[in-house]
Amino acid sequence: MPLMPATEAASSARRSTEAAWHQLSADATMAKLGSAPEGLSREEAAARLEAQGPNELREGKRISPLRIFLAQFKSLIVWILIAAGAVSGFLGEAADAIAILAIVALNAVIGFHQEYQAGKSIAALKKMTAPQAKVRRGGQVSMIPAAGIVAGDILVLEAGDLVAADARLLEAASLKCIEAALTGESKAVAKQSATLDEAELPLGDRDNLVFMGTSVATGNATAVVVATAMNTELGRIAGLLEAAGEEEGTPLQKKLESFGRVLIWATLGIVVLLFTVGLLRGTERLELFMTSISLAIAAVPEGLPAVVTVALALGVSRMARRRALVRSLPAVETLGSTTVICTDKTGTLTVGDMTVRTLHVAGQTYEVTGEGYGPHGEVLIEGRKCESWHAADLLALASIHIGCNNAHLVEEDGMWKVIGDPTEGALLVAGAKAGGDRRNIDGDLPKHHELPFDSDRKRSTVIRRLPDGRLRALVNGAPDVLLERCTAIHTRDGVRPLTDDDRSELAARNAEMARRALRVLGSAYRDLDHAKPAELTIDAVEHDLVFVGFAGMQDPPRREARDAVAKCRAASIRVVMITGDHPHTAEAVARDLGIAGDEDQVVTGAELDRISDEALRTLVPRVAVFARVTAEHKLRIVRAWKDNGAVVAMTGDGVNDAPAMKGADIGIAMGKSGTEVTKQASDMIVTDDNFASIVAAIEEGRGIYDNIRQTLHYLLAGNAGELLLMAVCLAIALPVPLLPLHLLWINLVTDGLPALCLATDPIDADVMKRRPRTRSEPMTDHHFIATLLLTACLTAGVALAVYVHALKNESIETARTKAFAVLVFAELLRSFGARSATKPVWRIPLSGNLLLLIVVSISFILQVWIHHSPALSELLKTSMVTLPDCLMLLAAGSLPLLVLECLKLMRRSE
């Protein structure tokens, strides 16, 4: 056959989609690719490699570390702080300037570290591709680097191989591939080389194709490569990761940026207004300029970035103790605003391992406990331990499960894994729980011959030699096909002919198990006379079988997932299942866990392909389960929810989840079962693969947002009180009540350490009983602003009253000193009430935040010391204040706190 030129073959491979390859016959595929049964010649392969490029996933253009670092200074609030630091230095306040600029530098370093770690997802995908592959070239099979594979190459596949490229099967013998990373299905997929007629098939149903990055569980095959590198399904996911990686800011980042813009214009307006009023009043220009600059600095909450960083970092620490590792600090707060969790099924809501749940033998139905491939669990009947007379029947079924089985179980790092077909692994575990022993079976019944599984027969047979020399065929297969070949049945009283009533009863039992979304396998046997392996053909062996029983298996839901879903519902968080599994299986699990209700819809990937993005945006609120979907579908679903204004968290463990995780507001990877790709694409890793840990992380996120918001209120109310006091005094022609040094000291003492302590407050126990915040909800709503203005008026009012009273009877320096002191006392006392917007201060135990109590106590001592230390009084231009006067000022400073706490009581009683 003449071979197609390299450039033409390359363009043909690019033009053809995977949906077209499965419809072509093997010969037509070979002709289209210009290949031949003996493979490409070495010269042709080299030419195609030159034209197509290496079979490697492309990494996106890397951004230099310097550009990443400079990008941390784009935020408006960062530049406000830099300006405030520069002005503080100009005014000679080195401590304030250093503190402000240190905060900016710390935030830049943290942001640089986060972004520098991004973009590793595609590198992790490259690790999943096969480093070596067996190909047939020029009629000879050789091992070559996978990067050298081209379209038209003939792959030679065996059990245990990692598939190096997408390929169309030419021949397949008992071939099964594990495609969980791409499709989400935990069981091995049977493959065959026949042409498929259906035009649009989900990825998991393209049985005559194998895909890069998947592995061969059993059997062997030859296949012609139809796509390499970025044209493969794995390459498409890498491309989706690049597109999804164009991330937008988190809700908190957006709100802080918006707040920064409002703050700078409000501050400039107020300062210009006060400067103008001062000029009109005849205030000395230099004094007025210095005061205006100080007011501008006072208006900026310098402690806010530090508060946010500390609150988020503390949240990271708390989450780590609750088995959630956060890779991005802003993700902590994003979790708290999550309104929708889009979760994969396999390995996230379910265990991720096939597990036998039900056995039926000799007219009895048994429950099998335990999950996954571990040995823990037992066989029960009606919830009780089985009596001794059940043992013989269970052993008869267990012997077939174990004897007709090529899988092996291994323990790695405390986790049991299967080598081989996951279905056979599940049967192996169930057989052991039912009393079977593989070593005894292999010793007493040595293997004589095997008739491997194929998708046409839907069964597999292993022939073993009995101790008396005869042969016994052990058969596992699809129940309906197996029953057609059975003529007898195993009962408690022995073997007897299989009647029509027996067949009807067994069919009903099979249907009942299928309705529970169990995958059902039947088991049978037949004793044979002595025969040579060549005589043991399928037709000669697989008839007149003795039916023994059924095994019903599934990937079981996690025990804790049901409670976690219920908590999400109570917190008004929508949980949506997105899976590559079959619709009926996905729906059964969703209903079992409480994700899907009677009115919720189930939509398949094929249906998604037929609707526009706009139609999908309208549809998603009514859908609880998306089944048989690809990585591209998952990303579309996430984007549709985001277009509806939802804050979306996407969880998963497979490669097919990574693009959607990257495109979501927050991506959550499973630590145990998750691939390296998903971990690198994620914002958070759940170390115990427990859906409940995600709910705990959401609780932490909500609490952290509350703390940040309450601390912001505390900072802004204090700054507003200072501005209001200064504005009123200028407006009524009073001397300036606070000097620039006083304003800077107030910011250092009352805005600094107490605010950081507020950010570490324990989480409110009722935080998960509230609805989540919407994406558009501002940090500063009407109630926030009204309370802030009231607090500012109370604080400024007390300070103004003290100031005016002192001006009438004492010097201006003493009046300023008392106004300065009462303002500090009022702010420090108010920090205790700022811990909750609804609970009065006496209902919030101080033991919950001892650090705040210590910091406030030290700040009180420092403030009193200022008024009794000649050196500090000289530095801050204050006068001496007697201890009785300090107590009087402390009492006056407590008035704002008392009024605000009484208002809380009034609101609670309404």
Side-chain angles (χ1 to χ4, degrees), residues 107 123 142 236-237 258 414 582 584:
N107 284 310
S142 60
R236 288 181 61 196
I237 292 177
S258 175
H582 288 279
H584 71 275

Side-chain angles (χ1 to χ4, degrees), residues 24-40:
L24 294 178
S25 67
D27 291 340
T29 303
M30 296 281 280
K32 191 176 184 70
L33 292 167
S35 188
E38 64 273 13
L40 304 174

